[in-house]
Amino acid sequence: MRPVPRSDPAALERALGHSFVDRDLLTLALTHRSVSGSRNNERLEFLGDSVLGHVIAAELFLRFPTATEGQLTRARARLVNGDALARIGEHFVLGDYVRLGPGEMKSGGHRRGSILADCVEALIGAVYLDAGLETARARVLDWYRPLLEELRIELVRKDPKTRLQEFLQGRGLPLPRYEVLETTGKSHEQRFRVSCDCDGLDAPVEAWGDSRRIAEQIAAEAILARLEHPGGPRG
């Protein structure tokens, strides 16, 4: 993938490797829900998520013929998660192109990983509608080439919540207990503070995240570090 010049939409199309027949699809894919009175990219994001999952699953199946179902599932989850999508969005400098409402712009939404990730999924959906599945597949695999090349499928671990659950179950202990303690920000820029408690802890662990899921994963990771290395430092 080539660096993207900070220019007009035509420059973005050249970087993406796709010239839209229907340029309105490109505009829509870059329109955040905070833009008042406009259609936004959420429906395209929904479609792009499905296309992305299909393309990545098929590519992993072909690329790693001896991988187990579990390995393939974990690898797909890593490649289609928000962090991977945000990395692609940052490469294409989508923050320079995304259309945001005044509040979101003021709060730095053009740099927020979750917004960039949503735009990438919406762009996949837009390419699919504009040119069909094979073109969308080609674009996804091109954008994902560095991530696919650096992937070592045998090293991909389960997510922290799953690992914590299995750690506790393996010792005959109850499942962890998660609770949302606080939610801040407007609907499109919320942050969550959660706690996680389980047997073996002196006190619950709290964590913040841009979504409840992310906050719970961070808390679970911290608990695993304590339970697996009880004599280590406390974060």
Side-chain angles (χ1 to χ4, degrees), residues 9 14 44 52 70 73 75 82-83 96-97 100 106-107 109 116 135 144 147 166 183 187 195 203 215 222 226 228:
R14 289 193 295 272
L44 283 176
L52 174 63
T73 298
D83 290 340
D96 284 4
Y97 298 92
L100 300 169
K106 185 177 180 180
S107 68
L116 300 182
T135 297
Y144 266 87
L147 296 178
E166 292 179 349
T183 303
S187 60
S195 71
R226 294 186 183 186
E228 293 176 341

Side-chain angles (χ1 to χ4, degrees), residues 6 29 40 44 47 56-57 59-60 83 88 99 101 105 111 118 125 140 152 158 163 188 196 221 223 232:
R6 301 190 176 195
N40 60 61
L44 283 176
L47 179 60
I56 293 299
E59 179 65 16
L60 291 173
D83 290 340
I88 292 171
R99 300 175 65 221
M105 180 67 74
R111 295 188 299 271
D118 291 346
V140 167
R152 297 295 178 266
K158 296 179 181 178
R163 288 190 284 121
H188 58 277
C196 181
E221 187 73 72
I223 289 175

Side-chain angles (χ1 to χ4, degrees), residues 41 45 52 80-90 94 112-124:
N41 63 8
E45 176 194 342
L52 174 63
V80 304
N81 69 20
D83 290 340
L85 287 161
R87 178 174 165 182
I88 292 171
E90 289 168 358
L94 292 185
R112 188 167 295 118
S114 59
I115 289 179
L116 300 182
D118 291 346
C119 280
V120 173
E121 287 188 321
L123 284 168
I124 294 169

Side-chain angles (χ1 to χ4, degrees), residues 7-62:
S7 185
D8 55 47
L12 178 58
E13 286 182 311
R14 289 193 295 272
L16 294 174
H18 179 73
S19 295
F20 282 85
V21 175
D22 183 355
R23 182 67 73 83
D24 287 343
L25 284 170
L26 175 60
T27 300
L28 185 59
L30 297 170
T31 301
H32 188 257
R33 66 188 177 198
S34 61
V35 178
S36 177
S38 296
R39 294 186 303 149
N40 60 61
N41 63 8
E42 289 183 327
R43 283 171 54 84
L44 283 176
E45 176 194 342
F46 165 80
L47 179 60
D49 176 71
S50 296
V51 174
L52 174 63
H54 165 74
V55 171
I56 293 299
E59 179 65 16
L60 291 173
F61 183 86
L62 295 173

Side-chain angles (χ1 to χ4, degrees), residues 59-78:
E59 179 65 16
L60 291 173
F61 183 86
L62 295 173
R63 186 178 285 245
F64 301 103
T66 62
T68 66
E69 182 271 343
Q71 288 176 318
L72 293 172
T73 298
R74 292 191 292 274
R76 179 182 59 187
R78 169 171 289 193

Side-chain angles (χ1 to χ4, degrees), residues 160-175:
K161 285 185 66 176
T162 300
R163 288 190 284 121
L164 176 58
Q165 179 175 316
E166 292 179 349
F167 180 93
L168 295 172
Q169 287 178 324
R171 289 157 179 77
L173 298 173
L175 295 178

